[in-house]
Amino acid sequence: MVWRISNVKQTETQYSCDLLVGYENMETLEGIVPVHFAVPPVLENEKPVKILAKIKSADGKLLLEGRAVYQSVQ
């Protein structure tokens, strides 16, 4: 499945964003899931992404700990 991202916060050592679930065609937003990468990936925010991540829970909310990311060059 492919998603879009928003609310990017990036430093030299960390990267976080919100994953917009179900919003790949920019029509219906089904949910928002926070994602955190310990090693910042190189992404273009306007393009859909595929993220490999570990599901975690913090303060009763789900979040993703990103491991790898794929973004089509087209």
Side-chain angles (χ1 to χ4, degrees):
M1 185 161 268
V2 180
W3 294 297
R4 299 228 178 233
I5 57 173
S6 70
N7 300 326
V8 173
K9 296 178 185 113
Q10 184 171 2
T11 68
E12 289 181 17
T13 58
Q14 293 186 0
Y15 178 95
S16 64
C17 64
D18 289 334
L19 193 63
L20 305 178
V21 179
Y23 199 60
E24 61 273 5
N25 295 326
M26 302 175 109
E27 293 177 8
T28 304
L29 180 62
E30 295 177 22
I32 299 173
V33 180
V35 182
H36 173 77
F37 284 87
V39 178
V42 177
L43 295 174
E44 291 184 40
N45 295 344
E46 299 81 35
K47 293 184 179 180
V49 297
K50 292 182 181 181
I51 294 177
L52 175 65
K54 184 176 183 179
I55 300 171
K56 293 202 161 194
S57 176
D59 299 323
K61 296 181 181 179
L62 289 178
L63 60 97
L64 298 176
E65 185 178 288
R67 301 287 191 207
V69 66
Y70 168 78
Q71 198 167 38
S72 175
V73 293
Q74 295 182 6

